Amino acid sequence: MFSSPLLFVFPFFLLACFLLYWAGARHAYLRRPEAQNGDAGAFAWHFFVPCRDEEAVVGTTVGRLRADHPRAHVWVIDDDSDDRTGAIVAGLAETDRRVHLVSRVRPDARQGKGAALNAAYDELNQFLSKDTDRERVVVCVIDADGQLDPHALERVSGPAGFGDPETGGVQVSVRMRNAGDPRPLPDRGRVRNAFARLLVRMQDMEFSVSNAGMQLLRGRTGSVGLGGNGQFTRLAALDRIAAAERRPWKRGALLEDYELGLHMILNGDRISHIADTWVSQEGLPHARRFLTQRTRWAQGNLQCVRYAPRIVSSRHYGGKGVLETLYTFLQPVAHLVTLALCAVMFALLGLTAAEDGFGAAFGGMLALWPLVLGLAVVSVLPFVLWGPVYRRDRASDHSLPAALLWGLALWLYAYHLFPASARGFVRMLRGRNGWAKTRRNAEVVTSGPVAIES
């Protein structure tokens, strides 16, 4: 029944790839050197804050950026909001010459985050004088709910960042600042809040240790990815991408941040990840919003498959970088194949049960229990081992048993990738490539309308 080599070999191949990747990420995270500070005053800083219906958070975000980084300019892109986002920012700009409002209107507006960022890039070009040293200008993309480490600019100016003239981009670590919120859903009961707390905690654990380790591993392979929040880019590097692609950020891309990083590396610029500084954002306590977000990310990864020929043939990607990059954006494909193989396996099992009887089929499965147990251990243990690391760096006030349980929960949490990949694939087949804005947690208490999710 299970004589097909594909059914037998493919799951082991995926597990081997995962374990190798996990071991590299964990080693890179635990053995990382501390990033050294640089001279932030040697650079001009410009924050891009893309907004659509963000009245609940934009005022706080702009105020904090200006207070923590007083020499920086803040460019807020209002993507034709239906609420008071534009009015709030316009009021701030009237009293602060370093706050700028980039207003967009339909039909040009609401074409995705990349298009909004390109509009700010155009405005910045008009603002800067012609004799500006664009190698010394740094653009940082911050989410509308983002809060940046007050010392971040010193960190990214150091030798691990823009202190190295070959560095075109820097990505900092991401944290969920509501990971310790005891009631993420104030209007819901204990059970819903318990689930919401765990969901937010898993996002914080995923980003602050697991993803940080992955990015530090990419630093060794030369394939660090840029994210949508806490993304620093040298303006001259954006210019080089614009010269080759007409615009820095890809129009209509669902992962415009990651694609920007691909273009940067393809142009010969280096990207680094600095785990010793951070940007915080809201973790999503709602399962539906979370799945909507992750579906968009999975579909964006599928869009990136088109870059495979360019990456394989590029002289700026080494062999390790090619393998890591292909592994990254082929993950949704692997999830889809795994789902298909599982369906085939259960179908064959059902046929066997129908022909030979349920007892014979069950007995055959029972005989494989040592193999199944071994696979379960090596599949679950890597997630569990992130628990103590997370406790050490992000939750030292919690017990070791709690951290181990969080690690076990992280394993279960990782299974969201399968429905997200399937939904992303279906959306792509149906030609649904629209950018769905994830609603902020605070929007439920504001008076204005909110963006519709799809």
Side-chain angles (χ1 to χ4, degrees):
M1 178 182 67
F2 298 106
S3 59
S4 171
L6 182 63
L7 279 175
F8 184 78
V9 173
F10 186 74
F12 288 93
F13 173 74
L14 286 185
L15 180 60
C17 290
F18 163 73
L19 291 175
L20 181 64
Y21 200 90
W22 167 81
R26 182 179 173 84
H27 184 271
Y29 185 88
L30 294 177
R31 300 296 179 89
R32 70 187 188 278
E34 183 178 358
Q36 301 300 310
N37 286 347
D39 180 14
F43 300 91
W45 304 91
H46 295 265
F47 293 109
F48 285 3
V49 185
C51 291
R52 194 180 91 187
D53 301 329
E54 301 284 10
E55 69 173 10
V57 294
V58 68
T60 299
T61 299
V62 173
R64 178 157 181 163
L65 286 173
R66 290 293 297 121
D68 291 344
H69 313 284
R71 294 182 59 252
H73 289 260
V74 180
W75 299 78
V76 180
I77 310 104
D78 176 26
D79 207 24
D80 203 1
S81 297
D82 290 325
D83 63 4
R84 297 183 59 254
T85 297
I88 291 171
V89 178
L92 296 172
E94 287 182 359
T95 58
D96 188 342
R97 64 184 183 86
R98 290 181 180 264
V99 176
H100 312 268
L101 174 62
V102 180
S103 296
R104 292 170 54 76
V105 295
R106 282 168 273 198
D108 294 328
R110 301 200 173 213
Q111 298 299 314
K113 188 176 178 181
L117 293 170
N118 286 330
Y121 171 78
D122 292 339
E123 293 278 347
L124 178 58
N125 285 335
Q126 296 179 27
F127 174 80
L128 296 175
S129 62
K130 292 184 179 180
D131 60 348
T132 297
D133 182 359
R134 298 171 76 89
E135 295 285 351
R136 291 286 177 178
V137 178
V138 178
V139 171
C140 176
V141 177
I142 297 289
D143 279 357
D145 67 332
Q147 294 183 8
L148 188 66
D149 175 10
H151 305 292
L153 303 190
E154 287 76 17
R155 290 291 195 187
V156 301
S157 301
F162 295 110
D164 181 348
E166 295 185 359
T167 298
V170 175
Q171 179 63 46
V172 302
S173 286
V174 178
R175 300 177 177 178
M176 305 299 143
R177 64 174 171 271
N178 56 337
D181 188 350
R183 290 187 62 82
L185 304 175
D187 58 334
R188 302 297 174 87
R190 293 176 61 183
V191 174
R192 290 291 300 275
N193 270 282
F195 175 79
R197 283 197 305 271
L198 184 61
L199 181 60
V200 174
R201 181 69 69 179
M202 291 301 98
Q203 293 167 69
D204 189 48
M205 193 171 177
E206 172 191 22
F207 276 91
S208 61
V209 293
S210 178
N211 283 6
M214 177 181 68
Q215 287 278 55
L216 290 165
L217 172 63
R218 290 171 173 175
R220 299 178 176 183
T221 62
S223 55
V224 173
L226 291 175
N229 198 13
Q231 165 199 130
F232 291 81
T233 51
R234 202 185 293 268
L235 184 58
L238 296 180
D239 294 338
R240 287 187 280 273
I241 297 173
E245 306 289 337
R246 299 178 61 187
R247 286 286 187 270
W249 285 274
K250 186 75 172 179
R251 182 184 177 94
L254 296 178
L255 286 183
E256 82 296 323
D257 43 15
Y258 186 70
E259 291 196 28
L260 180 76
L262 294 177
H263 285 297
M264 194 169 288
I265 298 173
L266 287 169
N267 279 348
D269 286 299
R270 189 172 70 87
I271 303 175
S272 64
H273 178 83
I274 298 180
D276 296 319
T277 188
W278 48 266
V279 63
S280 71
Q281 63 190 46
E282 293 179 326
L284 298 176
H286 298 275
R288 181 180 175 185
R289 296 184 194 177
F290 174 81
L291 188 57
T292 296
Q293 179 195 70
R294 297 312 172 95
T295 297
R296 172 164 56 90
W297 293 0
Q299 188 177 356
N301 267 355
L302 290 169
Q303 289 180 340
C304 288
V305 174
R306 66 179 181 268
Y307 289 98
R310 294 178 61 181
I311 290 170
V312 170
S313 62
S314 173
R315 62 186 178 89
H316 299 298
Y317 274 90
K320 294 179 180 178
V322 169
L323 290 176
E324 192 286 322
T325 304
L326 295 180
Y327 176 83
T328 295
F329 61 64
L330 286 173
Q331 283 296 293
V333 177
H335 299 145
L336 291 171
V337 173
T338 300
L339 287 174
L341 290 179
C342 287
V344 171
M345 183 182 69
F346 283 115
L348 291 175
L349 185 63
L351 289 174
T352 300
E355 294 176 358
D356 303 334
F358 179 79
F362 181 75
M365 292 178 59
L366 194 62
L368 297 175
W369 73 265
L371 176 62
V372 173
L373 180 61
L375 289 175
V377 170
V378 297
S379 298
V380 176
L381 191 59
F383 293 96
V384 174
L385 290 178
W386 279 122
V389 177
Y390 175 75
R391 172 178 176 260
R392 183 196 69 181
D393 293 347
R394 292 283 293 133
S396 58
D397 56 332
H398 288 76
S399 66
L400 179 60
L404 294 174
L405 288 175
W406 284 339
L408 183 62
L410 186 67
W411 166 65
L412 295 172
Y413 167 86
Y415 281 93
H416 79 267
L417 295 169
F418 290 93
S421 297
R423 293 180 81 231
F425 182 68
V426 171
R427 280 180 55 86
M428 189 172 67
L429 289 180
R430 297 176 63 186
R432 297 180 62 188
N433 297 311
W435 182 76
K437 178 241 177 185
T438 305
R439 290 190 298 163
R440 305 298 174 200
N441 300 334
E443 286 185 16
V444 295
V445 296
T446 61
S447 58
V450 297
I452 297 175
E453 296 177 88
S454 60

